[in-house]
Amino acid sequence: MEKIIFFVVVAVYVIAGIIVTRFVKNKDDFYVMGEKGSTVLIVGTLAATYLSAVTLLGLAGVIYNEGPVAHAGFGSYGAWLGTLFAVIYVGRKLKALECQTLPDFFEKRFQNKWVTVIATSIMIIGLLGYGVVQLIGAGVILSEILNIPFPVLILLFTLALLIFSAMGGMYGVVITDTLMFFTMLTIAIVISPLIIGQAGLDQIKNLGEVIPGYYGVNGGADRPFGWVFSQFLMWILFFGCTPSLVSRVFPAKNDFVILKTAVVGVFFAPFMQLLVFIAAAAMMVLQPGIDPADRVFIVGMMDYTPPALAGIGLAGLMASIMSTASTLFVLTGFALAKDLFENVLHKDFDEKKSMFIGRGAQALVAVIVCIIAILQPSSIFWISIYAGSIFAVAWMPTIIGSLEWKRMSSKAATASMLAGILTFIIFGELKRYEIITFPVGFDHFYLAIIVSVLTLIIVGFIAKPTDYELGYYKKIKETRLSTVTIQKILAKHNGAAELKREYKQTLTIAVSFVVISVVLWGYFIVKLGI
């Protein structure tokens, strides 16, 4: 039963992806969905990307063993703040500047091929690390449950993803992500409460007495607080600039859609995580000793829910993987085709040839993904942190400096990105091989961030920005997405009435979800005593 439902739901994703390809008529459709994304679609794709296999496998396993506060209370809260930052600040500003990808912004901001090449290379490396490893870890586990050889499973998933990501571009990803979001929602609001109910909130709360530190700030593993806080900081900086989240803003219809998405989507993301994490703790009550712990949620679905529900849960798990992997395919393919080939080489192709190159780039990425996945099965949680840290130390200081600092130049951007990523990698390896040690509570992530920011400031003051860079900085400060949206709406027939209606709807949604959040979060805090 589980297998039948699993394959039926996955087939629905693929069929939907095939149908969507008929809407892709030009480059704008391929790269940004023709900017036709509604609130439901943008909320769906944002939440689906947020709730990845890192949540359902990696983080769930760590919380099962160590408790929720150190990882959910700090790491996930940081991810929530980072997502809000990505949508409200970075995404809106870049969409106002008519960027279709994140490296597109670096190209527009500096018109320097080395900045674009370095930024795009970091993006490709980071996405491969964050996306492929999730596919690897989930594939290893699901291949055992479904009795399908791991290489065959990876190949099938890759082919399925190519159907709607390569053919449908951003259209395919957004539509299928939204379908996947509703499947993932089933895990959060049906399966998780079912597991929690069997364990009992009182028994979950009592884990703090059975396992020392389970509900403590340092967790059951008694991790240094400096490391715990570094996760909070890393997830803010990573999610605040990761292409997988920022790019979700670009297909939005207008600024009102983005603002509503910031309220609704950013509510659903931590809400779904909250229930999953409590269910992971519930599994410690129901079945201690699951090894490896990454399997905790799968064991919960298979052993503590009805077969039909378990099948939907497995499909939801695969949805979390496919949504992240499809993002990997699309954004990495865009990076190769648009950001490196078209922007750096300054090639101007017609609509048909541009989309052909974009699809070909995604097929190349698919081959690379298959090779990595089949030859190098690896961890989920820890490598995702490594990939996230690369974005955080290399991109975030440069993006903020590029948007807010008048003296920002291509030399400062290049130096900051290289200094941040090299410091993180080199000192991380020196620490791993115990060649050097850091003070207790000081993670090498902090050092990389400090070096990246200081390098940016020093080089920024030394190297004078060009006239073009000063001119584009002025354009950034003069361009407002809200202004563009208001002008477009007022230009319509009965535009004033539509504008009033949009303002009222956005305010109502914001107030409603604030009230819901206070009640929901307050309930679990009181019940669990944390």
Side-chain angles (χ1 to χ4, degrees), residues 471-484:
Y472 200 82
Y473 173 79
K474 183 179 179 182
K475 179 179 179 179
I476 291 173
K477 292 303 176 183
E478 292 174 348
T479 306
R480 297 282 187 277
L481 186 60
S482 56
T483 303
V484 174

Side-chain angles (χ1 to χ4, degrees), residues 76-205:
S76 291
Y77 183 58
W80 176 81
L81 290 175
T83 302
L84 195 60
F85 187 83
V87 173
I88 293 294
Y89 177 72
V90 179
R92 288 176 74 215
K93 283 185 174 291
L94 269 56
K95 180 176 173 62
L97 296 168
E98 300 181 339
C99 298
Q100 295 186 329
T101 66
L102 256 77
D104 206 12
F105 167 69
F106 290 102
E107 171 68 18
K108 289 174 181 287
R109 178 66 175 87
F110 302 107
Q111 287 208 339
N112 181 288
K113 68 176 182 180
W114 291 114
V115 174
T116 304
V117 167
I118 293 169
T120 306
S121 300
I122 289 170
M123 173 175 153
I124 292 172
I125 293 169
L127 287 178
L128 285 173
Y130 186 70
V132 177
V133 171
Q134 296 182 65
L135 185 64
I136 291 169
V140 169
I141 295 170
L142 289 174
S143 64
E144 296 176 2
I145 295 172
L146 299 173
N147 295 319
I148 298 175
F150 174 75
V152 175
L153 192 65
I154 292 295
L155 183 60
L156 289 174
F157 289 153
T158 303
L159 291 174
L161 289 167
L162 272 178
I163 290 174
F164 56 78
S165 65
M167 298 304 296
M170 190 59 75
Y171 240 121
V173 170
V174 169
I175 298 294
T176 52
D177 268 5
T178 303
L179 292 175
M180 293 174 190
F181 163 68
F182 288 107
T183 314
M184 289 183 243
L185 197 58
T186 303
I187 294 179
I189 66 175
V190 180
I191 294 176
S192 292
L194 189 61
I195 294 172
I196 293 168
Q198 293 178 62
L201 281 174
D202 289 338
Q203 293 299 316
I204 297 172
K205 181 178 178 180

Side-chain angles (χ1 to χ4, degrees), residues 383-440:
I383 296 184
S384 68
I385 287 178
Y386 195 90
S389 297
I390 288 175
F391 274 116
V393 302
W395 264 27
M396 184 55 91
T398 302
I399 288 176
I400 294 177
S402 299
L403 291 171
E404 301 297 341
W405 196 27
K406 188 175 182 179
R407 290 197 61 87
M408 190 67 185
S409 65
S410 60
K411 293 182 177 64
T414 302
S416 177
M417 287 190 289
L418 290 178
I421 194 170
L422 290 176
T423 300
F424 179 78
I425 293 173
I426 292 172
F427 281 89
E429 292 303 301
L430 293 175
K431 177 184 175 183
R432 185 161 71 94
Y433 287 104
E434 299 181 349
I435 297 173
I436 63 172
T437 57
F438 290 96
V440 176

Side-chain angles (χ1 to χ4, degrees), residues 53-74:
V54 172
T55 295
L56 295 175
L57 296 174
L59 267 174
V62 174
I63 287 170
Y64 169 79
N65 280 330
E66 301 181 14
V69 178
H71 300 284
F74 281 85

